Amino acid sequence: MNDYLFHHGTRESLKEQAQEGYAVIIPLGATEQHGPHLPVYTDTMIGEHIALEACRKAASSMKLLMTPILPVGCSQHHLAFGGTLSFSSSTYLLILKELGESLIAGGFRKMIFLNAHGGNEALMHQAAQDLAVQHNIWTASASYWSLSREALNELNAQEMGMVPGHAGGFEASLVASLAPQLIQGGKDSIAGSKHLQRSWIHGGPPGSYVGKHRELTGLDGYTDSIQPMDGAKGASYLEVIIDATVHWLLQVDQWMNEGAKPTA
């Protein structure tokens, strides 16, 4: 029994866990085009794996529950390519806030968003902030690549291309480690040939943004070639991502618990 899974609980057990101060982790994914080669479920598949493993490990050291992953995100910039389900930015922000308010109504006072899709990130942070402004609760939010950037740099993950990129060598390596049968054409596909990278994508200083209509995630909807794809390396990337996520969850839990103590 995976008792850290929110959806395995009953209303009575969840009420008790809310009263006991459990934190609720809310994983965020997407269903969107990933070029001609990766499945549209890529972000959700990766995000769910990271969340499940990280929560399983962290649950031995903190009181947590993990909700089912939200498999549709804000992917408006992918709609023109087909194979995409999306909420508009205003709708997605409202969805995240109402998920949080549902948990608040159920008695929970700690919630943590864990994201696996770039288009969700800004809205996730805004929802977390809005909820903490409007309610007497704790919130936190992060994307897996931000939590693991240093560890991925140490593994030289950049050799795969842009990290995390979109449907390039890095994401393809993660998919190759989880479900290689879902990759179409492999390195011999069109996506495996040399692919022109746009230097302005994530090219500015942190906190800056540059975008171009129909190229927000690269030429033809993906950032770089999958040519360097390596499933074994993808597995090692996932391992350090999970470890970094566990470390962050435990740190956040410590901050939340310390902050809940009355000050002298």
Side-chain angles (χ1 to χ4, degrees), residues 7 18 42 57-58 60 68 79 85 93 105 109 150 156 165 193 227 236 243 253 258 263:
H7 40 296
T42 289
K57 291 185 175 183
S60 63
L79 287 172
L85 303 176
L93 177 61
R109 294 296 179 264
E150 184 176 336
N156 193 32
S193 61
Q227 187 64 43
S236 67
D243 287 345
D253 184 59
E258 287 178 355
T263 56

Side-chain angles (χ1 to χ4, degrees), residues 113-118 121 124-125 141-148:
F113 293 105
L114 183 59
N115 178 47
H117 165 56
E121 189 169 51
M124 168 189 69
H125 291 321
S141 55
S143 298
Y144 77 76
W145 52 86
S146 297
L147 300 176
S148 57

